[in-house]
């Protein structure tokens, strides 16, 4: 009987996760009077369960949002039927010995939504969990401890996320408690209004919860909860949300989560506009268009130029996007410098140099321009020959493999470099490869460029990197 129940639950979980979808792109439906009045479907408060709080905490940890009503009902039902532990600490204790506990937790960690949210390195996954639970970026110690454990396959992502949740102390515990309270109030307010959060990927709830930290005044924050529910219940323009991984020209081993919002107006002529939201919202860059006299969009200052790969004709919804700002060029002048490169989360990150064997990347972008006479040719083993204006430089399989980890590797001329490689699929179905490259100049060059437009978040300013893209197109 127990095996039948487990097989039934596993089948049901698979169906539900498939229904949730794994797309990185989600578009919000246009709201109607029926939906605003709750006419689209009946919205009711789910029955209380001993597992309700735990399920909500798991949604916060893995997805950074409150559970939708259907998800809360489904997962509390699974926990109830399988008689699983009702606390996170008890789940940890049972994870290695109870196959049902492992099955359910791994379903959270391996879901299409989790795959879409965390396509990068294990260190970036850990950083994302800290952002979801505590409203802050992971400290170096926590990121390295859990990142190394995941890299060495000592734990699974599900187990790491649950341990980070249970290990909350001090201000992190205060932040987590407040986030759970806001999630509970948000769900209750949605039910009271008779609506569901149909914003793309539940982003209205995500935005709300990411504003919560240990210092949040919950009484004052109620106005923001009410405003979020009111916005959901009103008619909105058609919106699309895509998620990207962002790299900057200041070196960091951990890339940044970037949300790409694209909105179309409801008038006769539907002009695109939108914004890029970096990390927890510390940076936003707007865009709109087409620009008069042009067929492409323009980004708001400080961006002065952009270069898009595999996007729409007007420059929107690219697979890879380079942004440039005016910066000190180190000689007393000012020129465009590539400060950000964004790669859509649907692209597959490549961590094994052998997967690049036989590929040639002959397009090179730097400072939002395409430069000629440059390419990377990978041999049958995964080693590479880089050709540029300074000649050819060979890198062994081991050197390429180290570069693909995102860590700095010794290069030529006293420089260091790191690569992040991707495979993506074009609209015609053909597979293509691209590499985001960051090269750190020698110390004298780096010191002359410290007045660049982007500054780091670490205590000491990180080194400025030459940020570029090698690609097939």
């Amino acid at each position: 009987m127990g095996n039948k129940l487990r097989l039934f639950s596993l089948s049901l979980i698979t169906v539900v996760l498939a229904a949730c979808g794994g797309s990185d792109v989600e578009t919000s439906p246009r709201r109607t009077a029926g939906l605003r009045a709750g006419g689209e479907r009946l919205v009711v408060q789910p029955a209380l369960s001993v597992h309700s709080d735990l399920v909500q905490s798991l949604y916060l940890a893995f997805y950074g949002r409150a559970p939708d009503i259907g998800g809360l009902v489904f997962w509390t039902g699974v926990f109830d039927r399988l008689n699983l532990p009702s606390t996170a600490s008890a789940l940890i204790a049972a994870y290695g010995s109870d196959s049902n506990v492992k099955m359910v937790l791994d379903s959270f960690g391996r879901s299409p939504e989790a795959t879409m949210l965390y396509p990068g390195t294990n260190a970036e996954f850990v950083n994302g969990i800290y952002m979801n639970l505590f409203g802050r970026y992971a400290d170096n110690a926590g990121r390295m401890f859990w990142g190394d454990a995941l890299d060495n396959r000592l734990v699974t992502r599900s187990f790491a996320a649950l341990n980070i949740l249970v290990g909350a102390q001090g201000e992190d515990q205060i932040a987590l408690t407040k986030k759970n309270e806001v999630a509970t109030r948000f769900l209750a307010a949605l039910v009271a209004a008779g609506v569901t959060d149909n914003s793309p990927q539940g982003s209205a709830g995500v935005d709300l919860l990411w504003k919560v930290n240990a210092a949040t005044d919950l009484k004052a924050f109620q106005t923001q909860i009410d405003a979020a529910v009111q916005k959901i219940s009103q008619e909105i323009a058609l919106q699309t949300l895509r998620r990207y991984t962002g790299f900057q020209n200041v070196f960091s081993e951990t890339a940044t989560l970037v949300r790409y919002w694209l909105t179309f107006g409801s008038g006769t002529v539907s002009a695109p506009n939108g914004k890029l939201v970096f990390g927890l919202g510390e940076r936003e860059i707007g865009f709109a268009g087409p620009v008069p006299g042009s067929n492409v969009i323009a980004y708001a200052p400080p961006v002065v130029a952009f270069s898009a790969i595999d996007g729409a004709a007007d420059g929107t919804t690219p697979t890879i996007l380079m942004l440039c700002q005016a910066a000190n060029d180190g000689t007393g002048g000012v020129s465009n410098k590539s400060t950000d490169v964004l790669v859509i989360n649907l692209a597959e990150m490549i961590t094994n140099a052998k997967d690049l064997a036989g590929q040639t990347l002959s397009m090179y972008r730097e400072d939002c321009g395409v430069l000629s006479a440059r390419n990377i040719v990978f041999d049958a083993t995964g080693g590479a020959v880089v050709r540029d204006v300074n000649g050819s430089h060979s890198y062994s399989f081991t050197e390429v493999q180290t570069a693909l980890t995102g860590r700095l590797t010794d290069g030529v001329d006293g420089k260091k470099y790191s690569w992040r490689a991707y495979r993506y699929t074009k609209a015609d179905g053909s597979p293509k490869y691209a590499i985001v490259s960051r090269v750190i100049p020698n110390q004298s060059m780096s010191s002359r460029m410290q007045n660049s437009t982007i500054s780091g978040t670490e205590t000491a300013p990180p080194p400025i990197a030459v940020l570029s893209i090698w690609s097939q197109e």
Side-chain angles (χ1 to χ4, degrees), residues 183-440:
T184 299
R185 293 186 187 183
F186 177 61
L187 283 177
L190 288 174
V191 170
V195 297
T196 56
D197 182 3
N198 281 337
S199 59
Q201 301 168 23
S203 55
V206 173
D207 288 345
L208 187 70
L209 286 162
W210 273 13
K211 297 174 183 177
V212 179
N213 54 42
T216 300
D217 182 335
L218 290 180
K219 183 176 181 180
F221 198 79
Q222 185 62 45
T223 59
Q224 297 197 48
I225 298 174
D226 296 338
V229 174
Q230 183 179 19
K231 183 178 180 180
I232 289 170
S233 65
Q234 293 173 343
E235 184 174 1
I236 60 174
L238 188 66
Q239 286 189 312
T240 295
L241 171 63
R242 292 178 178 237
R243 295 181 185 270
Y244 286 74
T245 298
F247 304 88
Q248 291 182 266
N249 70 330
V250 288
F251 180 75
S252 171
E253 290 184 4
T254 307
T256 302
L257 164 69
V258 182
R259 287 177 291 166
Y260 181 106
W261 281 102
L262 177 63
T263 303
F264 292 93
S266 56
T268 304
V269 179
S270 182
N273 65 87
K275 63 181 179 180
L276 303 174
V277 181
F278 293 76
L280 288 167
E282 61 270 13
R283 274 205 301 155
E284 290 190 8
I285 299 175
F287 62 87
V291 180
S294 171
N295 293 322
V296 299
I297 61 171
Y299 285 86
V303 174
V304 296
F306 76 94
S307 182
I309 297 177
D310 195 37
D314 60 4
T316 57
T317 62
T319 294
I320 304 175
L321 174 66
M322 174 179 281
L323 301 176
C324 292
Q325 300 180 25
N328 186 335
D329 63 7
T331 64
V334 175
S335 61
N336 292 351
K337 292 295 180 183
S338 44
T339 55
D340 296 89
V341 169
L342 278 57
V343 181
I344 197 166
N345 282 9
L346 283 176
E348 177 191 358
M349 184 178 73
I350 296 174
T351 58
N352 191 331
K354 291 181 180 179
D355 292 336
L356 293 167
Q359 300 298 325
T360 297
L361 283 66
S362 56
M363 298 291 289
Y364 178 80
R365 281 176 168 81
E366 184 182 325
D367 302 336
C368 291
V370 178
L371 304 182
S372 60
R374 301 172 186 241
N375 61 34
I376 301 179
V377 179
F378 290 92
D379 62 28
T381 69
V385 176
V386 178
R387 297 183 175 91
D388 57 27
V389 293
N390 297 316
S392 299
H393 309 288
S394 297
Y395 297 92
S396 67
F397 164 82
T398 301
E399 290 172 319
V400 173
Q401 187 66 43
T402 302
L404 293 179
T405 65
R407 296 182 172 89
L408 286 175
T409 303
D410 289 331
V412 297
D413 301 328
K415 299 177 182 179
K416 293 180 179 292
Y417 69 100
S418 72
W419 288 347
R420 184 71 70 89
Y422 290 95
R423 178 169 41 229
Y424 66 95
T425 304
K426 296 190 68 172
D428 62 8
S430 61
K432 299 295 181 180
Y433 292 80
I435 290 176
V436 179
S437 170
R438 287 178 290 180
V439 177
I440 307 298

Side-chain angles (χ1 to χ4, degrees), residues 66-108:
D68 54 280
I69 298 299
L72 182 60
V73 170
F74 170 78
W75 284 112
T76 53
V78 170
F79 274 73
D80 290 345
R81 285 193 297 275
L82 296 177
N83 195 28
L84 300 184
S86 59
T87 66
S89 57
L91 281 180
I92 289 177
Y95 183 82
S97 58
D98 189 322
S99 59
N100 283 331
V101 168
K102 189 176 189 306
M103 171 191 68
V104 169
L105 285 179
D106 287 349
S107 295
F108 275 88

